[in-house]
Amino acid sequence: MIAAKYTQGTGLHFGEAPMPRLADDELLVRVEATSICGTDIKIARLGHRKLQPGQSIILGHEFAGTIEQVGRRQHDYREGMVVGIAPNIGCGHCAMCGQGLMNLCPDFSAFGINFDGSHTEYVRIPAAAVAQGVVIPLPESLSPLDATLAEPLSCVVNGQRVARLAAGESVLIYGAGPMGLMHLALALFSGAAQVFMVDVNDARLAKAAELGASAVFNSLRGSVREWVAGLTAGQGVDIVVTAVPVRAVQQEAVELLAPFGRLCLFAGLPKDEGKVELDTNAIHYKNLYVTGMTGGSPQDFRVALRVMQSGRFNLKPIVSHVFPLAEVRKAYDVALSGQGLKIVMAAERWVNTGKAAASER
Ligand SMILES: [Zn+2]
Ligand SMILES: [Zn+2]
């Protein structure tokens, strides 16, 4: 089967990988749709701290598929079920795992990082994943092309929960890439009265406007602070989400918030960038809340699926490309070039439905 593989020290390569061999308590999933995440690109470029030199893994953690084979000792799943997979697996015995927060387990492992992921045709689902409830049957109404976006959306669900968005509030999002656009869509879905978007890329800002942003701003052309002051009569916004890994943005964010405002540091910064100085007096005098989060839990994943099933939520406009799985190399070429938005690969029968949706836009 064709696969996108990363070897620590050697880099990204494409080619045949052997069919996974299944243990009695595991599942084999045939990939229906899988998307490329910023994390995949980061690993392809820089490797990952959890990988040993020379270690090789198949990339990809965002996917939905059909159960092809069920291990002899697995009784809750059957062949032919269509499932989504929340890709983080916890150690199973720490305090965070005890609360179902596998994304906060200090010893978590994940598809496409510690073991083979989904940028291929078949994925082995380890027994621990099944036991932790991360293999979630999908309703027929949800296309795998949508369901593959449940994982990134679960992170956005987590981010907006910690930011405590309430109906009628105003939100400013830095970054109109796929994650920032998902924040926009979810904030509107959750009742934000106004969502403002900042980026340095006009094409992405145009997409944000198309998706319902109240106002968009290219920060290369002026002061975000003045822009926000003008939009809010000097009050500031209730929530700022930083969906770009830029330290200056984190510094600026506290200055844009209204009293009782919340800052969600959604994107992490590269480790070597050092610490960020924040204006703590702005936090003090305005009673601000500064928070962050990482990834999403299986529960967030279920929330993401319910949001997508509501029929009032559409992420299709942020999918810029749908490639057949066989063209995984082409898909990575586009992703590595930085063009496009969300890039999805899918089994042949889904490719045209995805492309049709893309051309309607
Ligand atoms: Zn992801
Ligand atoms: Zn744990």
Side-chain angles (χ1 to χ4, degrees):
M1 58 182 194
I2 183 91
K5 271 194 165 189
Y6 176 81
T7 304
Q8 187 89 338
T10 316
L12 184 63
H13 48 109
F14 302 92
E16 284 295 310
M19 268 295 274
R21 295 252 297 274
L22 212 59
D24 284 348
D25 45 6
E26 296 181 330
L27 301 172
L28 184 69
V29 166
R30 187 175 73 240
V31 176
E32 300 288 357
T34 179
S35 33
I36 300 182
C37 175
T39 303
D40 302 312
I41 296 302
K42 218 193 282 176
I43 297 173
R45 288 202 174 115
L46 306 166
H48 197 281
R49 64 188 162 83
K50 290 200 173 208
L51 290 170
Q52 305 298 319
Q55 191 183 343
S56 203
I57 46 131
I58 297 174
L59 292 172
H61 58 269
E62 300 175 359
F63 67 113
T66 303
I67 295 181
E68 177 82 8
Q69 203 186 323
V70 179
R72 202 158 51 83
R73 296 213 316 265
Q74 277 297 350
H75 303 296
D76 298 323
Y77 294 86
R78 50 186 163 61
E79 284 166 25
M81 270 181 165
V82 182
V83 293
I85 287 102
N88 298 327
I89 303 173
C91 71
H93 48 76
C94 75
M96 291 297 108
C97 283
Q99 294 179 60
L101 301 172
M102 284 65 168
N103 52 318
L104 291 179
C105 172
D107 199 21
F108 84 95
S109 53
F111 289 90
I113 296 178
N114 310 73
F115 48 87
D116 284 341
S118 58
H119 292 165
T120 184
E121 291 164 73
Y122 293 91
V123 186
R124 179 182 68 88
I125 311 294
V130 184
Q132 288 182 15
V134 307
V135 183
I136 299 165
L138 298 177
E140 249 175 69
S141 61
L142 198 62
S143 152
L145 287 176
D146 292 328
T148 184
L149 302 178
E151 190 278 332
L153 185 59
S154 76
C155 304
V156 172
V157 164
N158 189 9
Q160 293 193 12
R161 180 162 23 70
V162 300
R164 288 183 273 141
L165 171 63
E169 290 194 314
S170 55
V171 182
L172 181 139
I173 297 158
Y174 278 102
M179 298 312 285
L181 293 171
M182 279 192 203
H183 268 290
L184 163 65
L186 188 66
L188 292 172
F189 180 85
S190 304
Q194 293 166 306
V195 184
F196 307 128
M197 300 289 293
V198 178
D199 203 288
V200 294
N201 177 324
D202 286 330
R204 289 187 164 192
L205 288 171
K207 179 62 81 172
E210 181 194 319
L211 280 174
S214 317
V216 302
F217 187 70
N218 187 324
S219 55
L220 296 176
R221 300 215 182 93
S223 154
V224 177
R225 215 175 310 157
E226 283 167 25
W227 179 65
V228 169
L231 287 169
T232 62
Q235 267 290 298
V237 292
D238 297 308
I239 290 175
V240 175
V241 175
T242 59
V244 285
V246 178
R247 51 188 297 150
V249 153
Q250 298 189 344
Q251 281 169 322
E252 188 173 63
V254 292
E255 298 173 32
L256 307 179
L257 285 164
F260 301 103
R262 283 89 68 202
L263 166 60
C264 174
L265 301 171
F266 182 79
L269 296 183
K271 267 213 179 66
D272 50 2
E273 284 211 6
K275 297 207 167 95
V276 175
E277 262 181 43
L278 285 190
D279 178 359
T280 54
N281 260 353
I283 300 169
H284 171 78
Y285 285 111
K286 289 195 287 182
N287 207 148
L288 304 182
Y289 298 82
V290 177
T291 185
M293 36 59 66
T294 179
S297 68
Q299 180 55 21
D300 295 324
F301 190 93
R302 287 182 162 85
V303 171
L305 287 174
R306 285 202 296 270
V307 168
M308 288 196 287
Q309 280 167 57
S310 69
R312 293 179 289 114
F313 189 81
N314 183 15
L315 287 181
K316 284 191 179 74
I318 72 157
V319 175
S320 60
H321 298 78
V322 184
F323 290 101
L325 268 169
E327 293 178 19
V328 57
R329 180 192 295 266
K330 249 197 209 166
Y332 265 86
D333 282 347
V334 175
L336 285 161
S337 76
Q339 298 165 33
L341 288 165
K342 202 69 182 164
I343 293 157
V344 174
M345 293 169 280
E348 207 65 58
R349 66 198 173 109
W350 301 109
V351 171
N352 287 330
T353 60
K355 282 197 178 145
S359 64
E360 276 167 26
R361 306 194 276 274

